[in-house]
């Protein structure tokens, strides 16, 4: 429950009496069963969920105070305690019990928030950055889950390396990668596995198609695994008898990644990391073909803060987990990206995916 404690400290700093989370319920409650988590400045947090999710919430969450709602008068099982209310009514009741005057919240549809604030009038302040900032720094427990997700990605990539050969389809390889990761314990993929060969390789967000791999192509394999909700992200680029130009592209992204990694440590600006990769690629003459940022934070979501791009104002802190993934996409020649998920440490970094 350290997350709850850290959130409480932030509430005090921001002059809030309670926090209503609708967007970060999984982070706070460690279950996807919650509709809302209400954290008062004092007293116990409350998990609000649909009647259907009561049992799962009890099994999965460390939050002890769980309240279930049902919008209609369903017949109840023995011992089942459900409040026949709309979710917004129940949330407003819980907030009213806390007596909070200043309430921070992290999202939800505007109409839903309006219903809550009509039922329990107080000062409601949209403050998603409070939890976003907490989520950037991973706890030791979160880190062990991220490490496992990264290991699973590595297994998937090893499988890809075994399968890359002329004649195989992108989809075949993607299927084998996902099968391998699933068998080893992955809950799924945080995004559709990318196997992008030849003319697909220079589309940064290609997926996998029925196209067959051929000689003289670069093949971008971008994959991730999920473990206890935590994601990993890893990209490798393979060549089948690549041309000189393709090899040059491939080596340049690898060098750019190393240049970026070398700058990572506590206190460095995210844009400094981006610039290290971007400058190297620009000096190699491929600057206009590096069309995206250098990386992003990874956690329960595949894309979270911080963001590594030229005008980013984020600062790297130890305990952040992020990707470093420069790419070069030259139409008519080939695309390459090289990506690892890394942990920011006080004086450097640790690669989780290699
Ligand atoms: Mn990525």
């Amino acid at each position: 429950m350290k997350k709850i404690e850290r959130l409480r400290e932030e509430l005090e700093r921001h002059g809030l009496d309670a926090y209503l989370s609708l967007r970060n319920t999984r982070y706070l409650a460690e279950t996807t069963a919650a509709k809302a988590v209400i954290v008062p400045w004092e007293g116990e947090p409350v998990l609000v969920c649909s009647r259907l999710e009561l049992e799962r919430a009890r099994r999965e969450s460390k939050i002890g105070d769980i309240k279930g709602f049902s919008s209609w008068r369903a017949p109840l099982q023995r011992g089942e305690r459900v409040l026949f209310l709309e979710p917004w009514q129940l949330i407003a009741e819980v907030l009213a019990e806390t007596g909070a005057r200043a309430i921070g919240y992290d999202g939800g549809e505007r109409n839903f928030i309006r219903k809550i604030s009509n039922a329990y009038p107080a000062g409601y302040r949209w403050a998603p950055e409070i939890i976003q900032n907490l989520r950037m720094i991973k706890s030791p427990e979160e880190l062990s889950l991220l490490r496992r997700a990264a290991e699973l990605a590595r297994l998937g990539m090893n499988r890809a390396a075994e399968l890359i050969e002329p004649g195989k389809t992108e989809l075949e390889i993607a299927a084998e990668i996902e099968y391998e990761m699933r068998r080893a314990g992955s809950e799924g993929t945080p995004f559709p596995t990318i196997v992008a060969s030849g003319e697909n390789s220079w589309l940064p967000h290609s997926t996998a198609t029925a196209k067959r791999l051929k000689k003289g192509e670069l093949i971008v394999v971008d994959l991730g695994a999920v473990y206890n909700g935590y994601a990993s992200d890893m990209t490798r680029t393979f060549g089948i008898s690549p041309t000189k130009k393709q090899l040059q592209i491939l080596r340049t992204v690898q060098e750019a990644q190393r240049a970026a990694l070398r700058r990572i440590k506590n206190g460095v600006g995210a844009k400094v990391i981006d610039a290290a990769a971007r400058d190297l690629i620009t000096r190699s003459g491929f600057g206009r073909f590096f069309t995206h940022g250098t990386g992003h934070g990874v956690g329960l979501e595949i894309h979270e803060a911080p963001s590594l791009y030229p005008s980013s104002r984020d600062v790297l802190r130890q305990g952040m987990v992020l990707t470093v993934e420069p790419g070069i996409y030259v139409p008519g020649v080939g695309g390459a990206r090289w990506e690892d998920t890394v942990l920011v440490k006080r004086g450097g970094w640790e690669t989780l995916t290699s």
Side-chain angles (χ1 to χ4, degrees):
M1 299 293 271
K2 261 197 97 193
K3 292 169 192 164
I4 303 283
E5 287 315 310
R6 287 169 64 205
L7 176 56
R8 282 218 177 91
E9 286 166 23
E10 291 303 310
L11 294 185
E12 187 166 13
R13 263 179 10 101
H14 289 80
L16 294 168
D17 307 320
Y19 200 87
L20 163 61
S21 177
L22 296 164
R23 287 270 183 263
N24 294 280
T25 53
R26 181 164 199 178
Y27 175 73
L28 293 171
E30 287 160 2
T31 175
T32 54
K35 166 84 180 170
V37 175
I38 293 119
V39 181
W41 179 66
E42 274 183 325
E44 288 302 302
V46 179
L47 187 163
V48 168
C49 67
S50 135
R51 177 204 179 190
L52 302 177
E53 304 288 10
L54 267 172
E55 161 99 22
R56 202 158 63 88
R58 278 198 205 103
R59 276 194 217 174
E60 294 176 356
S61 185
K62 293 193 194 90
I63 295 178
D65 194 349
I66 297 173
K67 294 193 189 332
F69 61 83
S70 171
S71 311
W72 52 286
R73 289 214 157 255
L76 295 182
Q77 295 168 33
R78 189 200 299 255
E80 200 181 10
R81 281 185 46 233
V82 173
L83 295 147
F84 296 113
L85 296 170
E86 294 289 338
W88 58 266
Q89 288 175 310
L90 178 51
I91 291 167
E93 276 194 9
V94 172
L95 287 170
E97 275 167 35
T98 69
R101 300 311 312 151
I103 299 163
Y105 68 99
D106 58 2
E109 279 173 39
R110 207 193 303 184
N111 200 30
F112 191 73
I113 297 292
R114 187 164 343 145
K115 282 180 182 164
I116 294 170
S117 63
N118 285 340
Y120 177 62
Y124 289 81
R125 196 195 309 163
W126 186 59
E129 72 285 354
I130 294 180
I131 294 203
Q132 198 185 32
N133 289 339
L134 292 182
R135 277 179 61 161
M136 274 200 276
I137 310 293
K138 269 61 183 183
S139 70
E141 297 75 46
E142 289 182 289
L143 252 182
S144 72
L145 302 177
L146 285 159
R147 279 182 198 282
R148 183 67 191 135
E151 269 170 40
L152 293 170
R154 249 158 45 197
L155 290 178
M157 193 59 79
N158 290 346
R159 187 72 186 123
E162 290 169 4
L163 293 168
I164 299 278
E165 61 179 23
K168 286 256 168 45
T169 70
E170 295 173 354
L171 275 168
E172 248 179 286
I173 295 169
E176 291 289 339
I177 289 168
E178 293 183 11
Y179 183 70
E180 181 81 10
M181 295 192 297
R182 271 273 196 191
R183 288 286 305 246
S186 178
E187 289 151 27
T189 59
F191 55 89
T193 303
I194 298 174
V195 179
S197 63
E199 66 265 29
N200 294 337
S201 68
W202 58 79
L203 308 174
H205 285 143
S206 184
T207 53
T209 71
K211 180 188 168 302
R212 290 182 192 281
L213 276 49
K214 295 198 304 269
K215 276 189 176 173
E217 289 183 337
L218 290 179
I219 302 102
V220 177
V221 178
D222 188 347
L223 56 83
V226 183
Y227 189 71
N228 261 28
Y230 284 81
S232 55
D233 201 355
M234 179 181 193
T235 307
R236 292 291 181 264
T237 300
F238 302 87
I240 304 179
S241 318
T243 64
K244 256 192 179 162
K245 187 82 176 171
Q246 288 170 339
L247 263 185
Q248 194 196 349
I249 292 169
L250 181 48
R251 291 200 176 120
T252 306
V253 290
Q254 289 175 306
E255 279 173 35
Q257 198 217 31
R258 277 195 295 272
L261 287 172
R262 276 198 294 270
R263 307 298 291 272
I264 293 183
K265 62 177 178 185
N266 184 56
V268 173
K271 65 179 179 195
V272 174
I273 311 304
D274 181 85
R278 204 166 296 280
D279 290 350
L280 191 139
I281 288 174
T282 302
R283 283 199 306 276
S284 307
F286 294 113
R288 66 187 182 283
F289 302 115
F290 179 16
T291 45
H292 53 73
T294 297
H296 52 88
V298 180
L300 283 171
E301 282 165 84
I302 187 65
H303 290 115
E304 38 177 78
S307 250
L308 286 65
Y309 63 98
S311 54
S312 173
R313 295 172 65 181
D314 294 330
V315 175
L316 302 195
R317 294 291 170 207
Q318 71 188 95
M320 286 183 177
V321 169
L322 42 90
T323 70
V324 180
E325 50 174 313
I328 298 172
Y329 312 92
V330 185
V333 180
R337 180 164 66 254
W338 205 267
E339 173 184 40
D340 285 291
T341 303
V342 307
L343 165 66
V344 180
K345 296 188 143 184
R346 194 156 67 92
W349 81 97
E350 178 191 336
T351 303
L352 303 183
T353 41
S354 71

